[in-house]
Amino acid sequence: MNIPPDYVLTLSGILFALGVIGVLIRRNAIVIFMSIELMLNSANLALIAFARSLAPAQEALRGHVFVFFVIAVAAAEVAVGLALIVAIFRSKESIDVDEVSSLRG
Amino acid sequence: MTIDLVLFFGLALIAVVAAIAMIASRNAVYSALFLVFNFLTVATLYLLLNAAFIAVVQITVYAGAIMVLFLFVIMLLGTERESIGGRIRWQMPLAIILGLALAVELAYVLLRNDIVQDSLVELSVEFGSPASIGRVLFSEYLVPFEVTSILLLVAMIGAIVITRKQRRENK
């Protein structure tokens, strides 16, 4: 399989920017969180593209290992983040980020 | 070569459209399903880039476990609808303009860089297979791998503590 890594990097850049737009324009905390997942995923795509470009060297596998760790950290982050969102919903009855501006908890 | 490029551009188009649909749809459940679609497309791209193990991990952990957790919380809270119109009126057009500028600049810089080589070597199926990654993971990266298990344990405890404390305060 021969895809130029430049193209994959470009796709990951575009997906990252779409994640940024999602964080900026949405006010539902869960959708903002999903946009962050999109950005993490695009970073993973860039790492895999770099690993493919360095490929026959055994060191290139480190890119794959790094992506593995990023996915594990993302899983931990989602568990804590969704717990926070549930806690915010319990005290505010809303997960609109505009409502969470009082600093009172 | 050409069939790979056709595959890549097809997948890239699907991934970008799914991402746009995710940030544009008003219902959070649709957003989550479009994000699952995007993750599956990216997993297919991983397969095209000789990363078989990562592709499978992507599908099971990301598209499977994490997105099920998202859908579960959306349906638990029942907040899939979003009111239209924020407090800051000019925020949305400004964010879209700046975000698109960021996308164009990122794409331009990444397309004209010299950090990756264009001529790729044909790889054996051994590269990126679970066996080869496992060998690296359990020799060179054994300590970080074990630390990951502690991280997951701490995240689990943290999630339980955050939701439990709130319940006690409500009583």
Side-chain angles (χ1 to χ4, degrees):
Chain A
M1 295 298 174
N2 260 325
I3 311 165
D6 286 358
Y7 293 1
V8 185
L9 282 179
T10 308
L11 174 66
S12 89
I14 291 170
L15 288 179
F16 187 88
L18 284 172
V20 172
I21 295 177
V23 169
L24 289 178
I25 69 173
R26 298 302 300 265
R27 282 170 300 110
N28 187 331
I30 290 180
V31 180
I32 289 176
F33 207 19
M34 287 197 282
S35 303
I36 295 173
E37 292 302 315
L38 187 65
M39 287 194 270
L40 268 174
N41 200 49
S42 75
N44 282 349
L45 187 59
L47 283 170
I48 293 288
F50 280 125
R52 178 66 185 91
S53 121
L54 299 170
Q58 203 56 35
E59 284 78 29
L61 271 180
R62 287 173 185 167
H64 291 198
V65 174
F66 206 86
V67 170
F68 180 78
F69 284 132
V70 169
I71 290 177
V73 170
E77 174 226 339
V78 165
V80 177
L82 287 177
L84 278 174
I85 289 177
V86 171
I88 290 170
F89 182 79
R90 283 203 179 128
S91 68
K92 294 272 177 191
E93 293 295 315
S94 163
I95 51 167
D96 193 320
V97 289
D98 279 352
E99 305 288 324
V100 194
S101 57
S102 62
L103 276 184
R104 266 184 287 126
Chain B
M1 185 69 195
T2 45
I3 186 123
D4 287 350
L5 278 184
V6 171
L7 272 174
F8 170 75
F9 281 117
L11 286 170
L13 186 72
I14 295 171
V16 169
V17 169
I20 291 173
M22 185 208 105
I23 58 176
S25 67
R26 283 282 146 210
N27 192 322
V29 177
Y30 294 160
S31 289
L33 292 177
F34 275 120
L35 191 57
V36 171
F37 193 26
N38 184 47
F39 284 166
L40 291 177
T41 319
V42 173
T44 319
L45 270 176
Y46 288 164
L47 282 180
L48 280 179
L49 291 163
N50 293 68
F53 176 67
I54 296 299
V56 175
V57 169
Q58 166 95 358
I59 291 176
T60 51
V61 177
Y62 252 126
I66 292 182
M67 291 319 292
V68 166
L69 208 58
F70 267 109
L71 282 171
F72 184 73
V73 170
I74 292 170
M75 290 171 181
L76 176 78
L77 301 183
T79 52
E80 60 263 27
R81 295 271 165 206
E82 187 175 343
S83 59
I84 301 165
R87 286 190 183 168
I88 314 171
R89 205 166 295 268
W90 41 265
Q91 185 195 5
M92 200 199 252
L94 185 70
I96 290 175
I97 291 167
L98 289 181
L100 287 181
L102 177 68
V104 170
E105 286 188 16
L106 268 177
Y108 178 71
V109 171
L110 290 173
L111 258 185
R112 67 182 290 273
N113 69 355
D114 308 320
I115 35 179
V116 289
Q117 51 190 11
D118 281 331
S119 55
L120 292 177
V121 194
E122 205 59 46
L123 291 175
S124 68
V125 284
E126 194 50 35
F127 185 84
S129 69
S132 60
I133 291 189
R135 222 171 286 129
V136 181
L137 203 57
F138 286 107
S139 57
E140 204 177 337
Y141 289 94
L142 184 61
V143 177
F145 184 74
E146 297 295 340
V147 171
T148 305
S149 69
I150 299 174
L151 176 78
L152 288 171
L153 181 70
V154 169
M156 195 174 75
I157 296 171
I160 293 170
V161 166
I162 287 169
T163 46
R164 239 187 104 213
K165 199 188 280 175
Q166 205 64 33
R167 198 182 302 148
R168 207 179 293 143
E169 278 171 11
N170 281 351
K171 274 177 189 172

